[in-house]
Amino acid sequence: MIDPTFLEGIIKILFVFVLISAGLIISTRNLSSVLTAYTIQSFLLASVSSLLYLMDGKDQLLLLAVLTLASKVILIPYFISRIEEKIKIGRDLHFTYLEPTPSLLLSIGLIILSYTFLSRVFEGLPLSKLFFFGAVIGLSLTLMGMLVIFSRKRVITKALGYLSMENGVLMFGLFVTELPFIIEVLIIIDLIILVILTTILAVGMDSSIEEYRQKFRKLQVWAGGESQ
């Protein structure tokens, strides 16, 4: 039997690497590196779920780890990497509002805000430090994913920001909400993401959001002309 205290120590170390991966997603300009950071982040989440399974013995935790590995570490990154082979994707050099350095500074503020907010929400509740910090990391990761969507210009980078935000929801759910519900939500969101990625592939993988909308409008016009 593995000492739970030892497992808790490993999980806390993984929390640090999860935040580092989120920082890389926010600041990295190379799209392949952003994808790699997302894949590592998803693997870390699967590892956290596996360690929690060793601590609690709940089968749902093991199922969640397997689903995360299959969808977020293998399927979605493979799908995007295959697209990269067919359509050359450059660097995402353009930021809508915030450059990498201000974004990272704002991320630190979001982490502090998450800690302060959840400290008040969970005040008086019998919640262990591990589960409290897990909830803080989950909320922080969600907000940092939203920051990627807000600050980046390329559609594909925004999609990866959405995926990172979903990882935050998953992390929060691991420590706060009921697991069966989180598993159902995870499956539904991953299916939606695959549809979004397919749409991006069809319309324009390396477009900015403005170019993406223009191409999509042209596609609608063309489709309407064909139907007349």
Side-chain angles (χ1 to χ4, degrees):
M1 184 67 181
I2 303 177
D3 185 7
T5 305
F6 174 73
L7 294 177
E8 285 188 14
I10 296 178
I11 292 176
K12 290 177 181 178
I13 293 173
L14 293 180
F15 285 165
V16 176
F17 286 107
V18 167
L19 289 179
I20 291 174
S21 67
L24 290 175
I25 292 174
I26 288 176
S27 60
T28 304
R29 297 175 184 268
N30 186 282
L31 295 180
S32 296
S33 299
V34 174
L35 177 60
T36 300
Y38 164 75
T39 305
I40 294 174
Q41 183 184 96
S42 300
F43 178 78
L44 293 171
L45 285 178
S47 300
V48 169
S49 184
S50 300
L51 292 172
L52 289 175
Y53 167 74
L54 294 176
M55 292 175 59
D56 296 338
K58 294 181 179 179
D59 294 335
Q60 295 96 328
L61 288 166
L62 183 59
L63 176 59
L64 194 58
V66 173
L67 284 175
T68 303
L69 281 173
S71 62
K72 298 173 172 298
V73 180
I74 299 175
L75 182 60
I76 291 177
Y78 174 77
F79 190 85
I80 296 178
S81 64
R82 289 290 295 171
I83 293 173
E84 288 180 345
E85 292 178 2
K86 295 183 179 181
I87 303 176
K88 293 183 179 180
I89 304 175
R91 293 157 59 87
D92 191 354
L93 300 176
H94 304 289
F95 291 76
T96 306
Y97 298 105
L98 295 173
E99 292 291 324
T101 301
S103 296
L104 287 174
L105 293 176
L106 181 56
S107 297
I108 296 174
L110 291 175
I111 295 171
I112 297 174
L113 178 65
S114 299
Y115 179 87
T116 304
F117 173 74
L118 292 180
S119 295
R120 296 181 179 180
V121 171
F122 295 140
E123 186 177 3
L125 296 179
L127 196 67
S128 68
K129 288 185 177 181
L130 177 66
F131 280 72
F132 171 73
F133 283 118
V136 171
I137 298 300
L139 180 58
S140 301
L141 194 58
T142 302
L143 295 175
M144 292 169 77
M146 293 176 63
L147 182 60
V148 174
I149 299 172
F150 176 77
S151 62
R152 291 303 188 103
K153 195 168 184 179
R154 295 289 181 185
V155 175
I156 183 59
T157 318
K158 289 179 180 291
L160 287 168
Y162 184 87
L163 288 166
S164 180
M165 185 176 68
E166 184 204 351
N167 279 347
V169 174
L170 173 59
M171 174 71 82
F172 188 85
L174 279 174
F175 294 94
V176 177
T177 61
E178 292 293 329
L179 288 174
F181 174 74
I182 289 298
I183 292 174
E184 293 176 4
V185 171
L186 175 64
I187 294 174
I188 293 172
I189 292 179
D190 283 341
L191 289 175
I192 294 173
I193 286 296
L194 288 176
V195 172
I196 292 174
L197 291 175
T198 303
T199 305
I200 293 174
L201 174 61
V203 180
M205 185 67 177
D206 61 346
S207 302
S208 65
I209 192 67
E210 293 82 4
E211 294 168 342
Y212 181 81
R213 288 171 179 167
Q214 291 175 2
K215 291 179 180 180
F216 197 74
R217 281 197 294 265
K218 289 180 181 179
L219 185 61
Q220 288 179 320
V221 171
W222 178 81
E226 285 290 315
S227 62
Q228 293 177 352

